[in-house]
Amino acid sequence: MNKEKRYEIFRRLREDNPHPTTELNFNSPFELLIAVILSAQATDVGVNKATDKLFPVANTPEAIYALGVDGLSEYIKTIGLFNSKARNVIETCRLLIELHGSQVPDNREALEALPGVGRKTANVVLNTAFGHPVMAVDTHIFRVSNRTNIAPGKTVLEVEKKLMRHVPKEFLIDAHHWLILHGRYVCRARTPQCGSCRIEDLCEYKHKTSD
């Protein structure tokens, strides 16, 4: 795919949604970090249902740490893998209190040192909370990047590096939100909605549907 096509793809996505953001509910970098940790192999809707009850009660490292694993588990037990996530969140809260003055660090190395935080989670926090031009590649972005040919790759890291290289700079801050939303609602895994897709004429997918 050439750079002119890529530019037009992101221009249209921006035109349709000038200020995209995550669908996770949060009001601080800490709330975002906890929500993203909880969202692994879970839906944003499911995470929001849990955090909408949790955050009014506890939305600081000290408050969540005080709940303990058992107390936190009661709030998040509707989310998949809640036992291991509860342990990770409690340990993350302890480390934030002890090492970071209860603040979420805004650098990748410190974030990835927290339990339950991998590269994708760190990238979400760096981008959405702190405005870093990074790309958090999830299953939706991986699929869209390969299917459209925007940034094909065999691994998540390969796709991430290609997107960082090929997405025009003016779109980089918001690009991962546009791609996630496009993959979630239009370029869906089993039944892509090609007939109603804003970028169908630019997409290089060979098996387009006529929905």
Side-chain angles (χ1 to χ4, degrees):
M1 179 176 286
N2 62 43
K3 62 181 182 181
E4 289 78 18
K5 271 189 180 181
R6 287 194 187 94
Y7 186 92
E8 180 60 15
I9 283 172
F10 286 103
R11 189 200 66 77
R12 291 184 194 178
L13 294 175
R14 180 176 63 186
E15 184 176 68
D16 291 351
N17 186 4
H19 305 291
T21 189
T22 177
E23 293 187 314
L24 291 168
N25 295 338
F26 74 98
N27 290 298
S28 68
F30 175 72
E31 288 188 0
L32 176 65
L33 172 63
I34 299 307
V36 180
I37 291 174
L38 296 178
S39 72
Q41 299 178 49
T43 66
D44 288 0
V45 171
V47 172
N48 287 339
K49 286 180 180 177
T51 57
D52 285 351
K53 295 176 181 176
L54 170 65
F55 288 156
V57 175
N59 69 342
T60 64
E62 290 82 1
I64 289 183
Y65 186 71
L67 291 174
V69 172
D70 291 341
L72 176 58
S73 294
E74 283 300 307
Y75 287 97
I76 66 170
K77 61 187 178 183
T78 54
I79 300 173
L81 308 174
F82 74 91
N83 281 319
S84 62
K85 289 177 181 178
R87 289 192 295 271
N88 284 337
V89 167
I90 292 300
E91 181 64 7
T92 284
C93 289
R94 183 184 71 80
L95 292 173
L96 289 175
I97 294 165
E98 293 182 2
L99 301 180
H100 302 288
S102 300
Q103 299 299 307
V104 176
D106 68 348
N107 71 83
R108 181 191 306 284
E109 185 178 11
L111 283 168
E112 289 190 23
L114 299 171
V117 178
R119 186 178 182 88
K120 184 187 77 173
T121 296
N123 279 344
V124 171
V125 174
L126 289 170
N127 177 273
T128 305
F130 299 114
H132 291 210
V134 294
M135 194 70 59
V137 178
D138 68 349
T139 55
H140 296 301
I141 292 182
F142 186 78
R143 179 178 67 256
V144 170
S145 297
N146 276 287
R147 186 183 273 168
T148 61
N149 211 33
I150 289 173
K154 293 182 179 178
T155 67
V156 167
L157 187 57
E158 186 182 354
V159 168
E160 178 188 329
K161 287 180 176 178
K162 283 191 175 180
L163 285 169
M164 291 298 294
R165 191 162 67 246
H166 293 310
V167 174
K169 291 291 187 290
E170 69 180 274
F171 303 114
L172 203 50
I173 288 289
D174 294 319
H176 99 263
H177 292 304
W178 286 318
L179 293 173
I180 286 172
L181 294 169
H182 191 69
R184 187 172 287 166
Y185 296 112
V186 182
C187 196
R188 300 185 301 203
R190 294 184 181 177
T191 53
Q193 309 297 294
C194 299
S196 55
C197 174
R198 272 280 275 148
I199 62 170
E200 182 188 10
D201 57 315
L202 303 166
C203 169
E204 296 180 359
Y205 183 47
K206 292 183 173 67
H207 308 289
K208 291 176 182 170
T209 64
S210 53
D211 55 315

